[in-house]
Amino acid sequence: MTPLQHALDLAARGIATFPMTAGKAPLAGSHAVKDASTDPARLAELFAHPRATLVAIATGTPSGVSVLDVDRQHGGLSWWESNRHRLPSTWAWRTRRGGLHVAMRHRQSLRTVELDKIGKGIEIRSTGASAIYWPCTGLPILCADAPAAWPEWLLPPPKAAWTPPAATPWAGDDHRARAYGMAALRRAVERMAIAAPGTRNATLNRETFGLLRLTSTGGLHAGEIAEAMAHAAIAAGLDRREIEATLRSALSARRAA
């Protein structure tokens, strides 16, 4: 079977895929996991690239399966031998370097976990990540059973909540500018807290950039703007990494304006 045929076979089972090169790199000009699809016409277009050698599964929400990656080179087989009896019979295949990819049904609470965080040589691939479907290169499927439920004991603990650092209290003397600034800040926080999915980063950037104009009047200072907008972004569902990156971008853009 060609890589495209494997991708089409997976698509028929609701598994979204995208192509990678033989070196496990995204194709030049591609958007990697964001390109993943189950549409036959789209897959034919993606896999028409001459370097489309490997089939990568978009794990998590796009495909409904997450993957337990047992990395042989980092000692994952020891963990596997100790814990395999606790795992259900489920879809699994051999990897190029002698490890395992064990696919189970995705759970909304399941997040990607980096190598060695839950066990030596073990990684969890969930939404936003991917896993190579090595049978597309001739490596064996070790178990063809339907993906089983992800076991409770293998759920990673939730990330610790993040609280933005407190800003220095305002110490200006222009109370009219202060009242105007605080009113603008309240409105911006309200808009951020109810921003719809897909618009949250842009809303955070836009509202923060707009508020930073008021630092020149003395009504607000950058620290309190960042603190308030970060709390609103947390309420909207953004994580720390997204919030910090967006706030840095807004602050940099304002300084350059």
Side-chain angles (χ1 to χ4, degrees), residues 9-198:
D9 180 61
L10 292 170
R13 298 158 58 186
I15 306 296
T17 64
F18 63 98
M20 281 191 171
T21 68
K24 299 198 300 183
L27 301 178
S30 76
H31 299 92
V33 71
K34 294 181 180 180
D35 285 337
S37 178
T38 58
D39 177 64
R42 177 59 176 153
L43 290 171
E45 179 184 349
L46 290 171
F47 282 88
H49 194 287
R51 298 190 67 200
T53 304
L54 298 178
V55 178
I57 293 173
T59 49
T61 300
S63 294
V65 294
S66 291
V67 168
L68 181 71
D69 183 359
V70 181
D71 190 318
R72 177 176 176 271
Q73 288 193 313
H74 290 86
L77 292 183
S78 294
W79 182 96
W80 172 255
E81 290 301 324
S82 298
N83 292 280
R84 61 185 302 179
H85 67 283
R86 305 173 66 192
L87 291 167
S89 180
T90 189
W91 188 28
W93 57 89
R94 182 71 65 197
T95 68
R96 183 166 64 184
R97 294 183 175 177
L100 304 166
H101 279 169
V102 183
M104 293 175 279
R105 292 199 301 274
H106 174 61
R107 296 175 60 142
Q108 286 303 115
S109 59
L110 185 64
R111 57 184 173 83
T112 292
V113 179
E114 296 175 358
L115 189 70
D116 297 338
K117 294 295 185 181
I118 61 168
K120 187 172 178 58
I122 302 299
E123 184 176 1
I124 293 175
R125 310 279 184 90
S126 187
T127 304
S130 63
I132 301 297
Y133 183 64
W134 290 109
C136 74
T137 67
L139 289 172
I141 293 176
L142 302 175
C143 180
D145 289 356
W150 195 278
E152 292 283 341
W153 67 270
L154 198 51
L155 290 174
K159 288 183 177 180
W162 173 58
T163 301
T168 303
W170 181 75
D173 56 9
D174 189 337
H175 295 284
R176 177 176 293 182
R178 179 62 172 173
Y180 180 86
M182 290 303 294
L185 183 59
R186 283 192 295 272
R187 291 193 296 270
V189 164
E190 290 168 359
R191 287 191 289 267
M192 181 65 244
I194 62 171

